[in-house]
Amino acid sequence: METYTLVVLLLAATIRVATPLLLAALGGLFSERAGVIALGLEGMMLGAAFAAAAVSAASGSAWLGLGAGIGTAVLLALVIAVAGVTFRGNQVVAAMAVNIMVAGLGPSLALAWFDLGGQTPQLNDAAQRFRELVWPGAEAARHTPLPGLLYAELLSGHSVIVYLAFALVPAAAWVLYRSRFGLRLRAVGENPSAVDTAGLSVTGLRYQAVVLSGVLCGVAGAYLSTAASSGFVRDMTAGKGYLALAALVFGNWRPWRTLGACLLFAFTDALATRLQGVPLPLVGVIPVQFVLALPYVLTVLLLAGFVGRAVAPAAIGQPYEKER
Amino acid sequence: MNSAPASSPALELRGIDKRFGTVHANRRISLTIARGSIHGLIGENGAGKSTLMNIVYGFYPADAGEILVGGRRVDVGSPQDAIAAGIDMVHQHFMLVENFTVLENIVLGAEGGWQLAAGLARARARLEALARDYGLEVPLDAVVSTLPVGLQQRVEILKALHRGAEILILDEPTAVLTPQEADQLFRLLGRLRDQGKTVILVTHKLREIMAVTDRVTVMRQGSIVAEVATRDTSPRDLAEKMVGRAVLLRVEKGPARPGEVVLAARGLEVRDRRQVARLKNVSFQLRAGEIVGIAGVAGNGQSELLAALAGTLAPSRGEIELAGHELVRERLDARARRALGLAHVPEDRLHDGMIGGFAAEDNAILGYHDRAAYNRGALQDRRAITADCERKMTGYDVRPPRPRLPLASFSGGNQQKLVLAREIEAAPRVLLVGQPTRGVDIGAIEFIHRRLVALRDAGCAVLVVSVELDEILGLADRILVMAGGEVIGEVPRAEATEERLGLMMAGVRGEGAA
């Protein structure tokens, strides 16, 4: 293949890999802006991936699967909120408990229900998965030069969830900065006392934010098991929830910058996949383990180098208690 | 409320009662506040003033009692209810979101619709009118964290007026202001009263009560002990009612007899994590047998100075000399400095000066625990430690006198006294004291001041950092004024007046201020 085609395919892969990251990161953004640490993204996403695949397999409808995924992630979000907001427990512990519980519970339930070694059945039927939407004229455009291939690979040919994820970026920015809800959300993450004395409910706002992060993680999880692949397998999120959290921090808790960070992480991931077994000039073939570690090495470097300048919401991680 | 008869009081409290666990914070309080007046509420720390006002504002529920606004009974279950009833409160710690603009802070909770833009535009027009009416100019688009505290306080007041407050409660509003800023605030309160608003001023400063209020209510230990017209009372009278016995408002002390220089700071500079200089080129000398006071509005480098001297913060430049040692060059840490006779009572004692979960007797030797008197070989001499704590508790009237009790279960004033006892009884050459009477009631203030003067007369050099100008004026033999991280000037006690110090605290140099 010529270089140009390679680059376009790499970018198309970037978009597909970025989608679940972006959904989870935007969800985490609402949660963290409200002052609740979003360490539970991983667990919520994994739980949703399992529920979506299981329900889709049983019912034959990807949309019912999506609903189940969202429902499961919201339920897990509520667990975190009850422990971390209502009972003022340690948010990190609550979120990690959810992550660990889901990591074990998903495969166990899959084993009990489907008896396939901890997986859900393959989703082979068209209605069980979110298919790529092919835009008009995309097939024809594929064989024309430059703009045609871009149209066919980058704009066309993604599932509906991909378009939703990218459309959510401006929407999230609008909600955060232009709506009453966004103002209150940002306030409660900075100074909950100010929100309380303004006659607003700190608990209520934080619940809304955490549930919203659950909804978005639900979509992200459903994407993983019913769009990007055909079924649930053990640990299929593989740290994407933590990567999303890193992207959100690297994006300075702002929607557009978070999009940039997600694309960057996704690009290195797509690149790593492409680089497997490919000889490079000077160094030759890099062992596959090193290549696959690339996105995570990048995460560490970026966060170590840039996060010093990022300013987290002031009240993050602190349960709110009225002063006496 | 507009339909209420003009004669009915703005606010009436009947039998308000509140307990926090074993503490009876408010005992059946009944209080009437006239419309269009400034009403002072005064009492020592822990007298229950703030609790009472937080109940009126709906921040905590009362256990019993009722609240009437304009003659009508209202159920104030939350701040929202209070705001709806026309009651608003400016808290001691501002309830502002630091990285929001003034406008965003003011509309929070009353945005006027789910889309911000329209609501913000309407609020802007209304606020500009309000600002004109009351002479309350604030830059609406400035980010709050960039504003000086005086302006932040105006934002709070404007916020309350924007929400339609008829009754405005201010909790210790002058704690963070220079005397001149406080006077500005009082003029503003006067204008609010003249426009028919009702102001409740919660404070422990007698000067403020005398300066602005029409009536004053005195609280002690959760109860109202007096209510008088301000013109019929005097500071001494109020102080006695607050404490329940006669008090000395002035510190009694003879002239200082300064000896040799025991501590000298030269060109001290401290930078924070973002490399901003918090302390700039500070030099001064401290002599044996004198009390030097450091005046200044909170946050102008005093805390950094204390920390740099005590050894808990490394200066980026400069030197400190103590007993023939160069502390910075020799890298002597807090412990080594203590061994050289430098004692330190930190500003935030509850946080930096004690361990609440430890027994009082262990706190009473903290930092001096390796002295021979408290040890027998490798083991602690528990009997000696207990005896030592009993002695300190008797000498400093720490109650209850039970050395084994965890320090956290003592009241704030008693915790402070024990920390102070520990540092003073170590017989230091130099004593650094931050905010010696913060959180301490008037009775204990007198006692602490007498101890500090006695220590001075015994030949110790004392450095007192305080944001209470009265305290500096009462204690110090020499006064250094800090503003913006610098020592703006030095004033001998005899030449110091509140106006002159106030101007210097605002950053005006010594000569111009004279």
Side-chain angles (χ1 to χ4, degrees):
Chain A
M1 265 189 285
E2 51 185 313
T3 321
Y4 169 67
T5 312
L6 266 177
V7 169
V8 172
L9 290 179
L10 192 59
L11 293 180
T14 299
I15 285 175
R16 279 190 285 274
V17 177
T19 297
L21 279 184
L22 184 57
L23 285 164
L26 289 177
L29 192 146
F30 283 110
S31 170
E32 296 229 321
R33 278 292 186 136
V36 182
I37 296 174
L39 212 59
L41 298 179
E42 175 84 2
M44 291 192 276
M45 216 180 348
L46 190 61
F50 168 71
V55 168
S56 179
S59 70
S61 161
W63 289 99
L64 280 181
L66 177 65
I70 293 175
T72 304
V74 167
L75 212 64
L76 294 170
L78 286 174
V79 171
I80 294 173
V82 167
V85 178
T86 304
F87 291 107
R88 304 189 191 96
N90 186 315
Q91 295 168 7
V92 171
V93 173
M96 285 311 293
V98 164
N99 291 351
I100 293 165
M101 177 184 78
V102 171
L105 199 58
S108 302
L109 288 179
L111 198 64
W113 292 344
F114 304 108
D115 207 10
L116 292 169
Q119 301 188 3
T120 59
Q122 281 283 316
L123 305 173
N124 294 322
D125 189 47
Q128 287 176 324
R129 290 187 56 200
F130 287 97
R131 292 287 165 189
E132 286 83 27
L133 304 178
V134 179
W135 288 21
E139 278 314 309
R142 186 180 299 280
H143 304 291
T144 61
L146 199 136
L149 190 64
L150 277 179
Y151 176 71
E153 285 293 337
L154 284 191
L155 286 182
S156 167
H158 301 293
S159 76
V160 60
I161 296 177
V162 175
Y163 300 112
L164 173 76
F166 282 81
L168 274 175
V169 176
W174 191 91
V175 167
L176 203 56
Y177 295 109
R178 306 280 153 136
S179 78
R180 176 173 68 190
F181 176 64
L183 185 79
R184 293 176 174 185
L185 204 68
R186 285 182 288 137
V188 82
E190 289 291 332
N191 186 353
S193 303
V195 170
D196 197 4
T197 53
L200 303 170
S201 164
V202 172
T203 307
L205 278 166
R206 290 192 164 165
Y207 263 82
Q208 289 174 42
V210 173
V211 166
L212 196 55
S213 83
V215 170
L216 293 180
C217 282
V219 180
Y223 175 83
L224 286 178
S225 65
T226 62
S229 54
S230 52
F232 170 86
V233 295
R234 184 186 292 267
D235 291 329
M236 77 180 306
T237 44
K240 284 195 177 62
Y242 302 113
L243 211 56
L245 184 60
L248 152 70
V249 173
F250 182 48
N252 225 330
W253 291 270
R254 291 160 190 269
W256 287 103
R257 294 194 201 180
T258 299
L259 169 66
C262 286
L263 286 174
L264 184 66
F265 287 159
F267 178 75
T268 55
D269 198 15
L271 190 68
T273 314
R274 281 273 163 200
L275 283 182
Q276 286 180 48
V278 178
L280 291 181
L282 298 179
V283 285
V285 175
I286 304 173
V288 65
Q289 289 84 353
F290 283 101
V291 175
L292 288 179
L294 205 65
Y296 303 95
V297 172
L298 182 79
T299 308
V300 170
L301 289 180
L302 285 179
L303 290 181
F306 290 92
V307 166
R309 266 179 278 151
V311 185
I316 196 161
Q318 298 166 4
Y320 176 63
E321 246 166 311
K322 285 185 183 190
E323 281 169 45
R324 234 190 73 182
Chain B
M1 245 181 329
N2 295 331
S3 59
S7 58
S8 63
L11 181 70
E12 192 180 347
L13 308 179
R14 288 185 188 161
I16 299 286
D17 207 89
K18 178 73 180 173
R19 285 173 188 273
F20 289 109
T22 58
V23 181
H24 203 164
N26 284 164
R27 296 165 196 260
R28 304 186 50 74
I29 302 276
S30 295
L31 177 60
T32 304
I33 290 169
R35 187 186 303 278
S37 71
I38 300 182
H39 195 109
L41 185 58
I42 194 165
E44 297 187 328
N45 291 292
K49 326 180 282 288
S50 293
T51 302
L52 184 64
M53 289 300 111
N54 274 315
I55 287 171
V56 172
Y57 186 56
F59 212 54
Y60 321 124
D63 298 338
E66 52 186 29
I67 298 171
L68 287 82
V69 176
R72 197 168 301 164
R73 208 189 141 191
V74 290
D75 217 7
V76 186
S78 71
Q80 199 139 31
D81 295 339
I83 293 167
I87 304 170
D88 217 321
M89 182 157 173
V90 175
H91 291 80
Q92 192 174 358
H93 304 287
F94 300 153
M95 296 297 175
L96 296 172
V97 181
E98 295 254 309
N99 59 359
F100 278 18
T101 66
V102 170
L103 189 59
E104 286 173 326
N105 265 293
I106 290 175
V107 300
L108 184 66
E111 296 88 346
W114 64 280
Q115 283 192 341
L116 274 187
L120 286 180
R122 274 197 300 277
R124 182 187 298 277
R126 204 169 149 223
L127 287 168
E128 278 165 357
L130 272 176
R132 262 197 314 279
D133 290 351
Y134 294 103
L136 248 174
E137 307 297 336
V138 284
L140 291 178
D141 295 309
V143 174
V144 162
S145 61
T146 64
L147 297 178
V149 278
L151 268 181
Q152 292 189 12
Q153 191 170 57
R154 286 169 162 238
V155 174
E156 286 278 38
I157 294 172
L158 199 55
K159 183 163 88 180
L161 294 175
H162 173 71
R163 293 175 186 161
E166 289 298 321
I167 302 169
L168 187 62
I169 304 166
L170 292 107
D171 189 7
E172 302 281 357
T174 59
V176 291
L177 304 180
T178 65
Q180 282 82 359
E181 284 174 321
D183 287 339
Q184 274 185 19
L185 172 70
F186 295 154
R187 282 197 294 276
L188 171 64
L189 296 184
R191 282 199 295 277
L192 290 174
R193 170 185 54 193
D194 296 344
Q195 304 243 6
K197 307 278 184 195
T198 306
V199 177
I200 304 175
L201 180 67
V202 181
T203 183
H204 67 277
K205 294 186 184 170
L206 299 168
R207 180 184 91 94
E208 296 171 0
I209 291 291
M210 299 309 293
V212 289
T213 61
D214 301 311
R215 285 188 77 76
V216 52
T217 297
V218 184
M219 287 185 72
R220 185 171 73 230
Q221 289 171 358
S223 304
I224 289 181
V225 291
E227 207 211 302
V228 287
T230 308
R231 62 176 175 280
D232 297 338
T233 185
S234 68
R236 175 172 296 273
D237 180 40
L238 286 176
E240 286 183 17
K241 290 194 164 88
M242 276 164 73
V243 184
R245 61 175 171 81
V247 289
L248 289 169
L249 287 177
R250 303 191 61 85
V251 185
E252 286 191 340
K253 63 182 172 93
R257 284 184 295 277
E260 65 193 30
V261 173
V262 286
L263 181 133
R266 274 181 289 140
L268 280 186
E269 183 189 87
V270 168
R271 290 177 179 276
D272 66 12
R273 271 195 315 157
R274 285 174 293 177
Q275 292 305 308
V276 178
R278 311 299 285 185
L279 202 62
K280 299 169 193 160
N281 194 23
V282 169
S283 304
F284 65 91
Q285 294 185 330
L286 203 56
R287 292 173 179 276
E290 68 168 352
I291 298 179
V292 172
I294 297 204
V297 179
N300 275 278
Q302 304 97 311
S303 307
E304 287 80 2
L305 176 62
L306 271 185
L309 293 174
T312 52
L313 194 64
S316 49
R317 200 175 295 163
E319 188 52 81
I320 304 162
E321 279 177 38
L322 172 70
H325 289 271
E326 294 191 329
L327 303 184
V328 179
R329 191 182 56 76
E330 296 174 42
R331 294 172 181 273
L332 296 180
D333 62 10
R335 177 174 161 160
R337 292 179 194 196
R338 208 176 288 126
L340 290 175
L342 179 80
H344 177 210
V345 180
E347 289 180 298
D348 186 354
R349 289 167 276 276
L350 310 185
H351 197 263
D352 301 331
M354 52 173 264
I355 302 172
F358 279 21
E361 59 183 21
D362 292 320
N363 275 288
I365 59 163
L366 217 57
Y368 302 97
H369 50 276
D370 50 359
R371 290 198 168 178
Y374 306 128
N375 292 282
R376 266 187 316 197
L379 298 179
Q380 287 189 319
D381 186 346
R382 296 307 310 181
R383 203 171 301 167
I385 290 170
T386 307
D388 173 77
C389 186
E390 277 167 353
R391 210 163 40 241
K392 285 172 181 164
M393 286 179 147
T394 315
Y396 287 78
D397 191 26
V398 179
R399 277 176 282 186
R402 290 172 53 194
R404 298 281 165 81
L405 217 57
L407 195 55
S409 55
F410 287 71
S411 76
N414 282 305
Q415 293 173 352
Q416 311 240 34
K417 283 194 272 188
L418 193 67
V419 173
L420 209 69
R422 176 182 75 209
E423 300 301 329
I424 291 179
E425 293 304 306
R429 199 176 309 201
V430 178
L431 178 66
L432 311 174
V433 197
Q435 316 300 347
T437 53
R438 174 179 287 170
V440 175
D441 49 47
I442 291 196
I445 288 177
E446 242 185 292
F447 177 83
I448 290 172
H449 284 175
R450 274 208 307 274
R451 284 284 167 175
L452 292 176
V453 171
L455 197 65
R456 175 200 79 167
D457 292 341
C460 175
V462 182
L463 184 73
V464 174
V465 169
S466 177
V467 292
E468 304 275 353
L469 214 42
D470 292 342
E471 177 160 56
I472 296 281
L473 287 169
L475 269 179
D477 303 310
R478 222 155 39 94
I479 299 167
L480 301 174
V481 183
M482 289 191 71
E486 287 179 89
V487 172
I488 287 287
E490 180 183 329
V491 188
R493 172 61 190 94
E495 295 168 26
T497 61
E498 204 162 272
E499 287 74 45
R500 183 170 173 191
L501 294 180
L503 279 174
M504 291 169 77
M505 282 158 70
V508 182
R509 296 272 160 191
E511 301 76 34

